[in-house]
Amino acid sequence: MPDYKRGLLDTSVVIDLPNPTVAALITEAAISAITLAELATGPHATHDPVKRAERQQRLQWAENTFDVLPFSTEAARHYGHAYALVLAGGRKPRGRLVDLMIAATAVANDLPLLTRNPKDFVGLDSIVQVIPV
């Protein structure tokens, strides 16, 4: 199994932590501010008070556990490239906007992207290393 020093975790991976596969792949993990935004919606997406509390706890844990990388000007430039690659591959980027922003954050920070949903990033292999978890 390859060993990477640092990697960017997709939201799907953060939701699934702890995951021994992630620990075996990287020694340092970061997340995108976009992932925090996705996690922040979680408590509001359920009427179940127990699930709401669990999701709020996951958000606060992520905020305190990981380096949070901003969606920077450089990431915005890479986002445009990612969008074009998805279009060129015959796919519709509309439903993938958040995924593309996370991928662009990985590219801007020269990090591999760890995800449980590699199909969300099909066509981006020329700009970001996607590592299925």
Side-chain angles (χ1 to χ4, degrees), residues 14-103:
V14 175
I15 290 169
D16 194 39
L17 289 174
N19 182 321
T21 303
V22 173
L25 288 170
I26 59 173
T27 54
E28 293 178 43
I31 61 173
S32 170
I34 304 304
T35 289
L36 277 185
E38 283 193 297
L39 292 173
T41 65
H44 306 289
T46 183
H47 296 292
D48 180 325
V50 174
K51 285 184 182 178
R52 186 177 308 118
E54 289 169 351
R55 291 175 181 184
Q56 184 65 37
Q57 188 174 34
R58 175 69 50 167
L59 168 63
Q60 291 169 335
W61 172 80
E63 289 172 335
N64 291 315
T65 301
F66 300 106
D67 288 337
V68 179
L69 304 178
F71 187 74
S72 63
T73 303
E74 184 177 356
R77 290 186 192 113
H78 290 293
Y79 172 80
H81 190 187
Y83 190 98
L85 287 169
V86 170
L87 280 175
R91 298 177 76 194
K92 295 184 181 195
R94 244 352 199 181
R96 296 174 175 78
L97 301 180
V98 171
D99 293 329
L100 296 179
M101 292 174 83
I102 291 171

Side-chain angles (χ1 to χ4, degrees), residues 98-120:
V98 171
D99 293 329
L100 296 179
M101 292 174 83
I102 291 171
T105 302
V107 176
N109 289 278
D110 195 27
L111 295 172
L113 176 62
L114 288 80
T115 183
R116 290 183 60 224
N117 305 314
K119 290 181 181 180
D120 291 345

